[in-house]
Amino acid sequence: MPALAARIPTDRPTRYLRQFRAHAEAMASPRADRLRSHAGKSHSPNDIQLHIDGSDTHCIARFGPWGTCALTAGDGALLIRLDCPDADSLARLRDIVAADLTRFSGGGLAIEWNPEP
């Protein structure tokens, strides 16, 4: 199963995790146009089931069937791990998560993804 991880240095890891979680919860809402246009690509609302669990320091977003995104607000960094069933899903989820976090930060986050075993 392909996986990526990122450690993003920031003095606001909890803020970005909260924003991501709130945004994902809004997209998972039955009233939302879920993931209609993310990362410059159009997605059908029927493409994905989105489930979010978490707190202010840890969040897991399950983008079924694409994969899982786990975020942890650490000391001075936001930690992210993506686990997906295939490389195409991993690239799609990476692009969505990176686009959202970049937008939340006003372009101020440097996200470097690293393959994980």
Side-chain angles (χ1 to χ4, degrees):
M1 179 181 267
L4 289 173
R7 183 183 185 283
I8 305 167
T10 177
D11 59 345
R12 300 176 180 153
T14 302
R15 174 184 170 210
Y16 295 127
L17 186 146
R18 285 180 188 154
Q19 282 182 287
F20 182 87
R21 191 184 78 226
H23 177 66
E25 287 171 346
M27 292 296 100
S29 166
R31 296 176 296 177
D33 291 333
R34 300 179 320 194
L35 299 175
R36 186 181 52 190
S37 178
H38 268 73
K41 299 177 184 171
S42 293
H43 306 286
S44 164
N46 298 323
D47 283 349
I48 189 161
Q49 297 288 321
L50 181 55
H51 302 280
I52 298 87
D53 296 306
S55 66
D56 286 347
T57 58
H58 185 72
C59 172
I60 296 178
R62 291 174 182 83
F63 294 80
W66 297 342
T68 302
C69 173
L71 294 92
T72 303
D75 188 25
L78 180 62
L79 309 173
I80 306 170
R81 181 177 170 103
L82 306 177
D83 291 284
C84 298
D86 57 64
D88 288 341
S89 296
L90 186 64
R92 182 181 292 190
L93 194 54
R94 178 202 62 212
D95 292 348
I96 289 171
V97 170
D100 284 344
L101 290 172
T102 299
R103 186 176 68 252
F104 300 154
S105 71
L109 292 180
I111 304 172
E112 292 184 34
W113 297 101
N114 299 298
E116 286 287 300

